[in-house]
Amino acid sequence: MYGACQAQQMLDLKICPDIWSLLVLLLCLIAVINLLAARNERESVQIAIRPKVSWSGSSVAGTVQIQCSDLCSTSGDRLIVGQSLLLRRVVPILGVPDALVPVDLPVSQINLFPGETTALWISIDVPSSQPPGQYEGEIAITAIKADAESPVQILSKVEKHQLYRDLKGCLDIVEPIDGKPLDEVVERVKSATTSLRRILLSPSFSEFFSDNGPVDVMDEDAISSLSIRMKLNLTVWEFVLPETPSLPAVFGISDTVIEDRFGVQQGTAEWYEALDQHFKWLLQYRISPYFCKWADGMRVLTYTSPWPADHPKSDEYFSDPRLAAYAVPYKQVVSGNDAAKDYLQKQVEILRTKTHWRKAYFYLWDEPLNLEQYDSVRNMASEIHAYAPDARILTTYYCGPNDAPLAPTPFEAFVKVPSFLRPHNQIYCTSEWVLGNREDLVKDIITELQPENGEEWWTYVCMGPSDPHPNWHLGMRGTQHRAVMWRVWKEGGTGFLYWGANCYEKATVASAEIKFRHGLPPGDGVLYYPGEVFSTSHQPVASLRLERILNGLQDIEYLRLYASRYGRDESIALLERTGVYFGPERYTFEHMPIDAMRGQIFNACRS
């Protein structure tokens, strides 16, 4: 999300000039940040900081210290900083804010540069079991003084009261432990330790830091006793987002890119470990990942598990409730002793005995263009259906065969693809680019389908559609990214596919600069970055666009809840009534309508 405040709420904060004449512009400065979240939901807020003058002798304008506290409810429940509350710095890619690089918690320091705005992205993950209620926390931003000498610090009454509350909060955590289970006692002690560490690292105690203290910069610089403190209020309501996403959103991960950049060879232990890391990391975004390898003519080998179907890891992957759909490979991923046909038959026979078989699909060809390619899809599908008549075949397309027109006009031929592929195909996945701004054409597509025979309509975006339509290209508006899923909901698609999440240019060093592929819009096919590009961390780094995809998928769960109570037509009316989404060229540019829509669903559906 953009952030809780709007332009009219942006304020200049002037720090007392007789101390050191520091002016800090906080673009997202508000007295209280109010957020609403369901359980099993992530909600985020963005804070922007811009220095008006320099208070450092170096090339940076100055350094600020960021401190975050746990979020606590009146009943003593907590959302712990570093676990449920995460802080990331927004780093530009091609001059556009996009990469979300993690920073240390509960205390971190960042440098501000003259004339530049620094953005922080704060995310709160609410566990499914979190008790509903009102939670309160605080974010403090403190300028670190460049001078070696610091003035005598005298706590104001307000600061003393805050210190009292913080210390009492620690006591409240550890006092009621008699008779509690050992794991709960350990968790409470950890939480109290985190809170005490935050207190000791606060500006109030800066003069007592030793040479071996936890924050090295404090050896040279003093900390201002004046902090910008923002209250963070979160309403957690009783609705729990389903662990298995209602809308299957299948996203591709290029195994070749992983092999090249991280220097791992297919079939080795390091290769399996690298793929496992990427798969598990993406699950947190309500995405069902699949790995892919491209061949000639847009033929594609797709697989969710790199292990054979009878391997315990495959069953672990496919049984994960966070996974809404999984891709079954048409042939072996890693060479073995089985013949290709025998391999396919054995895999299908094993998977059909599992309860998770209903999640399975085969994705064989990306955007077939001519009769030969369409016939290849039909032939492969026939082979699969010989072993599993109930197997689902997915095909992405934006046109019919160009050398054997199915109808007089291109769009009419596009609409006739289901009748051409039937009965070999079950999931018809069409490009949103074909529709343009003509939502009325959706009914022509749906009319051709046979849902009573298990046929589904999914959609996808890639190079197109372009601005102003919803897509995930770099430089598009935040609501434009989020609107991709609003469009899916309004049009009635039952699934979504995205061709690639890590498809940047080839590199053979993990820390090599990220370059987008030539000929594609910036950001197309790249939704996260290698952690090694930004630090020594091996964890992937999410993009802002990936976070907004998560927002959109969570919005679908809200709309589905509302539709279960009041009907699908009323949920679409709510999208329009709140000004969130009317069509691919008419949707909100601001965040307030989104808050209004979510708030109305909260008020209408809470117990």
Side-chain angles (χ1 to χ4, degrees):
M1 60 189 291
Y2 274 125
C5 63
Q6 303 300 313
Q8 64 267 26
Q9 295 171 300
M10 298 177 182
L11 303 173
D12 286 340
L13 181 73
K14 186 172 183 181
I15 306 239
C16 186
D18 59 352
I19 298 181
W20 54 68
S21 301
L22 173 63
L23 284 173
V24 179
L25 173 62
L26 273 149
L27 299 184
C28 206
L29 174 61
I30 50 179
V32 178
I33 300 172
N34 292 309
L35 299 174
L36 169 69
R39 295 183 287 177
N40 195 35
E41 181 177 18
R42 173 181 294 176
E43 186 65 335
S44 302
V45 63
Q46 188 172 192
I47 298 175
I49 312 171
R50 186 180 180 91
K52 296 297 287 288
V53 298
S54 174
W55 63 97
S56 171
S58 62
S59 59
V60 300
T63 302
V64 293
Q65 180 172 275
I66 315 295
Q67 294 173 282
C68 300
S69 72
D70 293 348
L71 273 64
C72 307
S73 72
T74 54
S75 58
D77 299 303
R78 308 176 78 84
L79 290 163
I80 300 173
V81 66
Q83 296 179 18
S84 292
L85 192 149
L86 304 176
L87 178 64
R88 289 170 287 180
R89 183 172 183 172
V90 185
V91 175
I93 302 294
L94 296 183
V96 179
D98 193 55
L100 297 176
V101 181
V103 299
D104 294 333
L105 284 174
V107 179
S108 185
Q109 294 181 15
I110 59 172
N111 292 327
L112 304 181
F113 293 88
E116 294 186 10
T117 299
T118 297
L120 300 173
W121 190 268
I122 301 168
S123 296
I124 304 169
D125 288 304
V126 183
S128 297
S129 59
Q130 192 71 27
Q134 299 290 330
Y135 290 77
E136 294 185 3
E138 185 180 76
I139 303 163
I141 302 177
T142 306
I144 298 178
K145 188 171 181 284
D147 299 334
E149 296 292 329
S150 64
V152 177
Q153 298 182 20
I154 302 175
L155 294 179
S156 67
K157 184 175 181 180
V158 173
E159 289 172 322
K160 285 180 180 179
H161 181 64
Q162 181 62 44
L163 181 58
Y164 169 81
R165 287 185 59 189
D166 291 343
L167 291 171
K168 187 176 183 301
C170 293
L171 194 60
D172 291 341
I173 296 171
V174 297
E175 270 194 334
I177 61 174
D178 291 339
K180 298 289 186 182
L182 180 59
D183 55 348
E184 182 178 340
V185 172
V186 171
E187 194 61 37
R188 285 177 177 270
V189 171
K190 285 182 178 179
S191 181
T193 302
T194 299
S195 297
L196 283 172
R197 184 180 294 110
R198 175 181 55 78
I199 295 169
L200 290 175
L201 292 175
S202 69
S204 304
F205 299 103
S206 61
E207 61 186 291
F208 301 114
F209 284 127
S210 67
D211 292 340
N212 297 320
V215 187
D216 293 338
V217 72
M218 296 176 188
D219 297 338
E220 300 177 359
D221 297 337
I223 303 178
S224 163
S225 62
L226 299 177
S227 296
I228 298 161
R229 297 181 179 272
M230 287 168 283
K231 298 296 181 183
L232 186 57
N233 288 349
L234 173 69
T235 299
V236 176
W237 64 303
E238 63 270 17
F239 175 48
V240 181
L241 264 64
E243 192 170 13
T244 302
S246 301
L247 182 92
V250 298
F251 283 46
I253 308 172
S254 170
D255 57 5
T256 306
V257 168
I258 294 174
E259 292 161 6
D260 292 340
R261 180 171 280 267
F262 298 101
V264 294
Q265 185 176 354
Q266 187 186 65
T268 62
E270 293 78 13
W271 181 77
Y272 283 107
E273 183 180 347
L275 267 59
D276 186 60
Q277 180 195 34
H278 285 252
F279 171 82
K280 290 180 177 177
W281 184 82
L282 270 175
L283 284 177
Q284 67 180 299
Y285 289 95
R286 303 187 71 80
I287 284 169
S288 296
Y290 66 85
F291 298 99
C292 53
K293 191 182 296 291
W294 300 87
D296 295 337
M298 300 294 277
R299 180 171 174 169
V300 60
L301 174 65
T302 62
Y303 58 98
T304 292
S305 171
W307 291 276
D310 57 354
H311 195 283
K313 288 290 289 185
S314 288
D315 205 49
E316 174 192 323
Y317 273 34
F318 301 153
S319 299
D320 194 311
R322 296 171 296 173
L323 191 76
Y326 64 82
V328 182
Y330 174 70
K331 64 179 183 178
Q332 286 176 280
V333 176
V334 179
S335 299
N337 297 324
D338 294 334
K341 284 190 176 182
D342 290 342
Y343 180 84
L344 175 62
Q345 182 177 358
K346 288 179 180 178
Q347 301 308 294
V348 169
E349 288 176 351
I350 292 169
L351 292 174
R352 290 188 74 198
T353 66
K354 307 289 186 177
T355 56
H356 53 58
W357 170 248
R358 57 184 172 77
K359 299 183 185 180
Y361 67 93
F362 290 82
Y363 178 23
L364 308 171
W365 207 287
D366 182 45
E367 299 181 333
L369 298 177
N370 54 45
L371 191 59
E372 180 184 3
Q373 293 175 358
Y374 270 99
D375 281 344
S376 294
V377 173
R378 291 155 64 103
N379 292 335
M380 287 188 286
S382 293
E383 183 181 353
I384 294 168
H385 284 143
Y387 307 131
D390 57 343
R392 298 189 301 166
I393 312 299
L394 179 153
T395 303
T396 55
Y397 63 98
Y398 63 87
C399 66
N402 53 27
D403 54 354
L406 304 177
T409 69
F411 182 77
E412 289 175 317
F414 161 79
V415 169
K416 293 297 181 183
V417 166
S419 60
F420 179 66
L421 276 180
R422 188 177 293 121
H424 307 288
N425 199 79
Q426 285 68 47
I427 302 176
Y428 296 89
C429 189
T430 65
S431 169
E432 292 283 20
W433 168 79
V434 176
L435 297 176
N437 63 353
R438 294 281 307 279
E439 283 189 328
D440 57 299
L441 298 177
V442 169
K443 66 178 184 301
D444 296 325
I445 299 173
I446 294 177
T447 300
E448 290 292 325
L449 299 182
Q450 298 176 0
E452 67 276 8
N453 293 325
E455 293 184 354
E456 299 182 52
W457 178 50
W458 291 20
T459 54
Y460 69 94
V461 296
C462 51
M463 294 180 65
S466 57
D467 191 62
H469 290 197
N471 207 324
W472 296 325
H473 300 160
L474 194 68
M476 288 182 167
R477 293 176 177 269
T479 54
Q480 196 169 0
H481 298 145
R482 195 163 178 169
V484 170
M485 291 302 160
W486 301 336
R487 180 173 190 172
V488 171
W489 178 259
K490 185 176 181 184
E491 291 176 351
T494 56
F496 193 88
L497 180 142
Y498 192 63
W499 70 278
N502 68 329
C503 297
Y504 28 76
E505 284 285 11
K506 179 178 178 179
T508 55
V509 178
S511 59
E513 178 187 1
I514 292 295
K515 295 181 180 179
F516 297 123
R517 292 189 179 181
H518 180 71
L520 298 180
D524 186 32
V526 179
L527 298 175
Y528 66 94
Y529 306 99
E532 293 85 351
V533 174
F534 308 97
S535 68
T536 57
S537 172
H538 300 299
Q539 282 292 317
V541 167
S543 67
L544 273 175
R545 293 167 293 128
L546 185 57
E547 290 290 328
R548 288 162 180 156
I549 292 169
L550 173 61
N551 291 151
L553 289 167
Q554 291 175 162
D555 290 339
I556 280 185
E557 304 298 353
Y558 272 65
L559 290 164
R560 187 174 295 277
L561 171 67
Y562 191 81
S564 70
R565 303 279 185 90
Y566 304 100
R568 174 173 165 76
D569 290 344
E570 183 56 30
S571 72
I572 294 172
L574 178 66
L575 271 175
E576 298 178 349
R577 188 167 61 247
T578 53
V580 171
Y581 185 84
F582 296 93
E585 294 181 351
R586 291 184 62 205
Y587 49 86
T588 180
F589 288 174
E590 306 294 337
H591 191 79
M592 289 185 71
I594 305 172
D595 281 342
M597 179 188 74
R598 287 163 53 86
Q600 287 193 33
I601 294 173
F602 163 69
N603 288 323
C605 298
R606 61 178 170 171
S607 299

